[in-house]
Amino acid sequence: MFVTSINKFEIKITFLIIFSIGLGLRLFYLPYELPLIADGMDNFTYATAINFHGNLPTEWAPANIGWSIFLSFWFWLVDLDGSIDYMQFQRILSIVLSCLTTIPIYYLCRKFFSNKISLVGVALFAFEPRLILNSTLGITEPLFILLGISSLVIFLKYSTKGILIAFALASFTTIVRSEGI
């Protein structure tokens, strides 16, 4: 006979397994010795300029500065040896944010589906190859997706305080990428 429901302990264990495998896949495909390229390098340069000047540089301003501001805070907190180390830290931070997105994905799926189907939704997100690749590039997408999904999940709770928090997260989403509007 098939078991039709799973208990909370099984949900947590399954979620942790999915989270761990997703994190492991991202770390496995992380190019440890290569510098950042394209957008990741632009964000890195702007974040280091923020730390160097102590404020937002006036010489240039990229279109989407939210990720760079977020990075500059973390760069300020850690003390690493060189640029490559900071680039790898940027990539690892991007990977962590990508993996943390599985939490609001579960709650979003849970709003519409059962626990089992919600875990399938989390697995689809955690093992999606393009999302794994994007998280290893050190670009804006992991933070953008985390803020956007979190905003949506909190908005769907239908509480006045939750809606205000959801719109605050949506505004941060727009700062990270203008498409968030």
Side-chain angles (χ1 to χ4, degrees):
M1 185 182 234
F2 293 103
V3 177
T4 58
S5 65
I6 54 179
N7 63 31
K8 289 183 179 184
F9 179 73
E10 291 171 331
I11 292 169
K12 289 178 183 177
I13 293 298
T14 306
F15 182 84
L16 285 174
I17 290 170
I18 292 169
F19 181 88
S20 300
I21 292 172
L23 181 62
L25 282 171
R26 285 163 173 78
L27 291 174
F28 178 77
Y29 287 110
L30 180 65
Y32 289 99
E33 299 300 322
L34 297 176
L36 293 169
I37 56 170
D39 291 340
M41 181 59 109
D42 292 341
N43 292 317
F44 173 78
T45 305
Y46 197 71
T48 54
I50 291 171
N51 280 346
F52 180 75
H53 294 293
N55 55 14
L56 296 176
T58 56
E59 297 84 33
W60 89 97
N64 303 311
I65 62 170
W67 174 239
S68 299
I69 293 171
F70 183 78
L71 282 175
S72 70
F73 170 74
W74 289 100
F75 288 174
W76 176 72
L77 285 179
V78 298
D79 184 29
L80 300 173
D81 291 332
S83 294
I84 293 292
D85 293 335
Y86 281 103
M87 289 179 187
Q88 295 310 318
F89 182 73
Q90 178 176 337
R91 285 183 166 142
I92 290 171
L93 191 59
S94 180
I95 286 172
V96 168
L97 292 174
S98 179
C99 289
L100 286 177
T101 306
T102 57
I103 297 168
I105 290 284
Y106 174 76
Y107 286 109
L108 180 64
C109 292
R110 192 63 201 106
K111 184 78 174 166
F112 301 104
F113 304 108
S114 68
N115 288 329
K116 288 180 184 179
I117 302 299
S118 298
L119 289 172
V120 171
V122 168
L124 287 173
F125 179 85
F127 306 141
E128 212 297 305
R130 289 169 292 223
L131 292 174
I132 292 172
L133 176 64
N134 276 349
S135 68
T136 63
L137 296 176
I139 54 179
T140 62
E141 275 77 11
L143 181 61
F144 176 73
I145 294 170
L146 176 64
L147 290 172
I149 296 294
S150 297
S151 173
L152 186 60
V153 168
I154 293 170
F155 179 79
L156 291 174
K157 289 191 176 193
Y158 302 118
S159 69
T160 305
K161 185 178 179 182
I163 289 174
L164 293 174
I165 293 170
F167 277 102
L169 287 175
S171 68
F172 292 135
T173 303
T174 304
I175 293 170
V176 171
R177 290 192 58 166
S178 55
E179 294 89 351
I181 200 160

